[in-house]
């Protein structure tokens, strides 16, 4: 009898294993059926040259506008006028704020809502002490070893110039859009949560004109080229940001008597505050498997190789079980929950003085579904010492989540799958902040995507030393932008 049971169990296990092999074999990347696109003309030399010259414009933003070199922004604008004369002859241009630009490419059908492509002209600074670590000077705009090197090469003068380059080429070809195309270029996106942000100014200017947008495209995701031996071989996976996390800075502080360091209490204000910091770090927000997380994992799992796909094809069952493990990995946890990061502390002004006040700044990146009020309630709940003061310094709520079944998302998928052998781009939540957040008054269809193929290590160089973009990723970016405008704006035949 035991032998028969054993045989039955083994047989059942064999059937299940065989079934899993079949399931894994069928568990392949989802593809988008793309239309037959005509080939696109690309003036690659002009595009490369313009990116390099744009990098040489030191358009560094600063929270103190008196420290901004506005001549560098004007230098960039002159570059645009020189390189793209047809664009400046055909499109109506408006200046907003100190250096913001709006271009209007009027369509022939006023009943159609315009589409918008936006970007930012500014870049983050390079610390003087880090200049020597760069292979080539950060504002030289050097082409070498198959890359364009410099600050802004990936964030985001490659994208910004790509939009203008594509429009100029379409104009050279005689393209006339049915739907109006709007280009909005801000100048201080890198200043997170700035009261002087140019994006709201541009958005307000459009709103005051009575404009409602069909959709909007900003920077965000990219086309990742992933090569992990025995796991994923030369796969292209694109992420389209359909939302972005909110942002909040809170100050937590504790006041004390202070005094001379020669007669210290058991715990100074800094010591007491450190316990509150540990309370926050030890009591993180709960992770959640949002639809965007599930779709992202599904896309990656479908692109893995056998035998990894034998596991990946069961991700719907395994993912909830793995959630506690993934929550311990910072990169994975950040896409599943509101994050807590203690970034700044301050105590006594001198080594031999006990602090009368100790403060810490805590940065939260807030998942859609949570609010700034939720964060404050969380802080007050998990900190045991109720003498700790909590103060909101500033922030933005999470963005709305854009729908995924739209002509714009379909166009992005069709163009990408038409150019590459790749999966349908997957929606995801952008971890950082973009200008797109400020356009929610104009449309609920906001997508964050840069059409550049990049390995993860190159993508991570944005804001870092040796920021650069591969020259061989540029031509198809122009093809993308041109086809994007063709599909969504339509053409007058």
């Amino acid at each position: 009898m035991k032998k028969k049971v054993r045989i039955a169990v083994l047989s059942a296990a064999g059937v299940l294993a065989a079934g899993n092999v079949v399931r894994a074999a069928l568990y392949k990347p989802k593809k988008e059926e793309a239309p037959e696109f005509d080939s696109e003309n690309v003036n690659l030399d002009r595009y490369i040259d313009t990116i390099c010259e744009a990098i040489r414009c030191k358009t560094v933003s600063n929270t103190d506008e008196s420290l901004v070199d506005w001549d560098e922004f004007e230098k960039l604008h002159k570059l645009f006028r020189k390189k793209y004369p047809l664009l400046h002859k055909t499109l109506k241009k408006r200046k907003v704020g100190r250096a913001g630009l709006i271009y209007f490419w009027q369509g022939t059908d006023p009943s159609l809502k315009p589409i918008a492509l936006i970007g930012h002209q500014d870049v983050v600074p390079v610390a003087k002490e880090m200049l020597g670590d760069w292979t080539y000077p950060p504002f030289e705009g050097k082409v070498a070893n198959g890359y364009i090197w410099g600050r802004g090469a990936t964030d985001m003068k490659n994208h910004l110039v790509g939009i203008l380059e594509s429009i100029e080429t379409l104009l050279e070809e005689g393209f006339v859009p049915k739907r109006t195309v709007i280009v909005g270029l801000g100048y201080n996106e890198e200043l997170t949560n700035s009261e002087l942000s140019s994006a709201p100014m541009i958005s307000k200017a459009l709103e005051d004109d009575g404009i409602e947008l069909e959709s909007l495209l900003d920077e965000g995701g990219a086309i990742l080229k992933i090569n992990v031996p025995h796991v994923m071989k030369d796969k292209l996976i694109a992420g389209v940001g359909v939302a972005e996390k909110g942002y909040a800075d809170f100050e937590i502080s504790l006041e004390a008597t202070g005094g001379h360091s020669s007669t210290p209490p058991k715990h100074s204000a800094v010591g007491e505050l450190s316990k509150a910091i540990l309370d926050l770090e030890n009591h993180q927000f709960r992770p959640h498997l949002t639809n965007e997380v599930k779709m992202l994992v599904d896309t990656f799992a479908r692109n893995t190789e056998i035998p990894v796909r034998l596991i990946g094809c069961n991700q719907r069952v395994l993912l909830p079980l793995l959630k506690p493990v993934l929550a311990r990995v910072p990169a994975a946890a950040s896409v599943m929950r509101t994050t807590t990061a203690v970034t700044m502390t301050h105590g006594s002004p001198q080594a031999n003085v006990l602090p009368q006040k100790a403060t810490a700044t805590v940065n939260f990146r807030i998942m859609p579904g949570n609010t700034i009020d939720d964060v404050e309630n969380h802080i007050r709940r998990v900190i045991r010492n109720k003498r700790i003061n909590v103060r909101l310094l500033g922030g933005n709520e999470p963005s709305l989540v854009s729908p995924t079944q739209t002509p714009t998302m379909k166009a992005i998928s069709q163009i990408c799958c038409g150019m590459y052998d790749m999966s349908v781009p997957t929606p995801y939540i952008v971890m950082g902040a973009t200008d797109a957040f400020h356009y929610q008054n104009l449309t609920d269809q906001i997508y964050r995507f840069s059409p550049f193929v990049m390995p993860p290590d190159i993508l991570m160089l944005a804001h870092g030393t040796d920021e650069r973009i591969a020259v061989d990723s540029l031509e198809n970016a122009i093809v993308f932008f041109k086809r994007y405008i063709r599909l969504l704006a339509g053409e007058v035949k």
Side-chain angles (χ1 to χ4, degrees):
M1 184 67 180
K2 289 182 179 181
K3 184 177 181 181
K4 290 181 179 180
V5 172
R6 190 180 303 114
I7 292 172
V9 171
L10 291 174
S11 298
V15 170
L16 289 173
N20 195 51
V21 170
V22 173
R23 184 162 58 251
L26 297 174
Y27 188 64
K28 295 180 179 180
K30 296 179 180 178
K31 301 293 180 72
E32 179 79 59
E33 187 174 339
E36 288 292 330
F37 290 107
D38 293 332
S39 61
E40 295 286 356
N41 296 320
V42 175
N43 190 335
L44 188 59
D45 289 340
R46 182 175 63 190
Y47 183 31
I48 292 171
D49 185 59
T50 308
I51 294 175
C52 292
E53 288 196 46
I55 289 171
R56 293 172 197 138
C57 300
K58 299 177 183 178
T59 52
V60 178
S61 50
N62 194 300
T63 52
D64 183 349
E65 287 198 339
S66 67
L67 300 177
V68 176
D69 188 343
W70 297 108
D71 288 341
E72 292 294 322
F73 283 88
E74 180 54 33
K75 180 180 172 184
L76 182 65
H77 298 172
K78 288 180 180 178
L79 172 66
F80 293 159
R81 294 194 292 271
K82 180 182 76 172
K83 291 290 188 179
Y84 305 123
L86 268 181
L87 184 153
H88 285 83
K89 179 182 178 181
T90 308
L91 277 64
K92 178 183 175 183
K93 185 181 76 171
R94 182 192 305 176
K95 187 174 181 181
V96 178
R98 294 297 299 267
L101 298 174
I102 309 176
Y103 293 97
F104 298 88
W105 191 3
Q106 189 63 48
T108 60
D109 188 345
S111 69
L112 298 175
K113 293 180 181 180
I115 60 169
L117 299 92
I118 68 168
H120 62 87
Q121 307 163 63
D122 61 314
V123 296
V124 296
V126 179
K128 289 183 180 179
E129 61 270 20
M130 302 303 295
L131 288 172
D133 293 341
W134 284 71
T135 303
Y136 302 99
F139 293 102
E140 185 177 319
K142 177 79 171 179
V143 180
N145 304 318
Y147 293 93
I148 297 176
W149 302 70
R151 177 61 82 228
T154 59
D155 186 14
M156 62 169 298
K157 288 180 176 176
N158 59 327
H159 185 122
L160 178 78
V161 173
I163 295 171
L164 303 182
E165 175 68 41
S166 300
I167 291 175
E168 183 76 10
T169 306
L170 286 169
L171 288 168
E172 290 169 346
E173 296 168 354
F175 178 87
V176 178
K178 289 182 180 179
R179 188 189 301 272
T180 295
V181 179
I182 297 174
V183 178
L185 307 180
Y187 55 87
N188 53 10
E189 188 269 354
E190 298 295 0
L191 308 180
T192 304
N193 199 36
S194 171
E195 293 180 356
L196 301 174
S197 176
S198 57
M201 299 180 198
I202 296 173
S203 175
K204 181 66 163 52
L206 296 176
E207 184 179 35
D208 288 347
D209 284 350
I211 292 174
E212 293 182 16
L213 297 175
E214 174 68 15
S215 65
L216 179 141
L217 184 71
D218 192 9
E219 64 173 335
I223 304 173
L224 291 179
K225 185 175 184 179
I226 302 176
N227 187 11
V228 180
H230 312 300
V231 177
M232 202 178 292
K233 184 178 180 181
D234 293 329
K235 291 289 186 178
L236 298 178
I237 296 179
V240 178
V242 294
E244 62 186 62
K245 282 186 163 185
Y247 180 105
D249 289 324
F250 278 88
E251 179 190 85
I252 59 172
S253 63
L254 180 70
E255 295 183 359
T257 304
H260 200 284
S261 63
S262 62
T263 56
K266 182 178 181 181
H267 295 294
S268 70
V270 171
E272 292 290 350
L273 186 67
S274 68
K275 296 178 185 178
I277 290 173
L278 287 176
D279 284 340
L280 287 172
E281 292 182 336
N282 289 332
H283 296 83
Q284 299 282 341
F285 280 79
R286 291 182 179 179
H288 294 283
L289 296 173
T290 64
N291 288 332
E292 291 75 28
V293 170
K294 293 175 182 176
M295 286 189 280
L296 188 64
V297 172
D298 180 68
T299 299
F300 273 86
R302 288 177 182 275
N303 280 276
T304 55
E305 297 191 11
I306 300 292
V308 178
R309 209 184 319 152
L310 292 170
I311 301 171
C313 67
N314 296 297
Q315 56 91 15
R316 288 187 180 181
V317 176
L318 294 176
L319 193 56
L321 300 176
L322 291 173
K323 185 171 70 170
V325 177
L326 294 173
R328 295 176 180 270
V329 181
S334 66
V335 302
M336 295 194 297
R337 70 178 174 210
T338 294
T339 54
T340 303
V342 181
T343 55
M344 301 169 65
T345 57
H346 181 75
S348 168
Q350 192 164 301
N352 64 345
V353 177
L354 293 171
Q356 292 182 296
K357 183 178 182 180
T359 65
T361 301
V362 191
N363 176 251
F364 295 87
R365 298 301 174 113
I366 309 167
M367 282 288 285
N370 290 142
T371 65
I372 292 176
D373 283 345
D374 292 336
V375 172
E376 183 168 350
N377 291 335
H378 172 83
I379 295 171
R380 295 185 184 281
R381 185 175 67 253
V382 302
I383 292 179
R384 291 168 293 176
N385 187 344
K386 302 309 175 183
R387 292 172 52 223
I388 298 290
N389 299 307
V390 180
R391 182 167 69 96
L392 173 65
L393 300 177
N396 289 322
E397 299 287 1
S399 75
L400 302 174
V401 180
S402 295
T404 57
Q405 301 301 314
T406 65
T408 302
M409 277 293 289
K410 187 174 182 64
I412 293 172
S413 294
Q414 287 179 332
I415 299 168
C416 288
C417 291
M419 288 193 296
Y420 305 107
D421 178 18
M422 64 180 291
S423 298
V424 170
T426 182
Y428 82 107
I429 306 295
V430 175
M431 300 297 103
T434 71
D435 275 345
F437 173 87
H438 299 287
Y439 290 81
Q440 295 179 131
N441 57 320
L442 303 178
T443 180
D444 66 346
Q445 297 182 42
I446 295 175
Y447 305 100
R448 302 156 180 87
F449 179 68
S450 295
F452 299 87
V453 175
M454 287 188 276
D457 59 329
I458 297 298
L459 183 64
M460 296 302 291
L461 290 176
H463 291 200
T465 298
D466 277 349
E467 181 179 349
R468 60 189 185 273
I469 186 77
V471 171
D472 64 11
S473 73
L474 299 178
E475 182 171 352
N476 274 349
I478 299 301
V479 173
F480 174 91
F481 284 125
K482 290 181 69 180
R483 289 178 177 171
Y484 182 89
I485 293 171
R486 287 187 194 278
L487 284 178
L488 293 175
E491 182 175 11
V492 177
K493 300 294 186 180

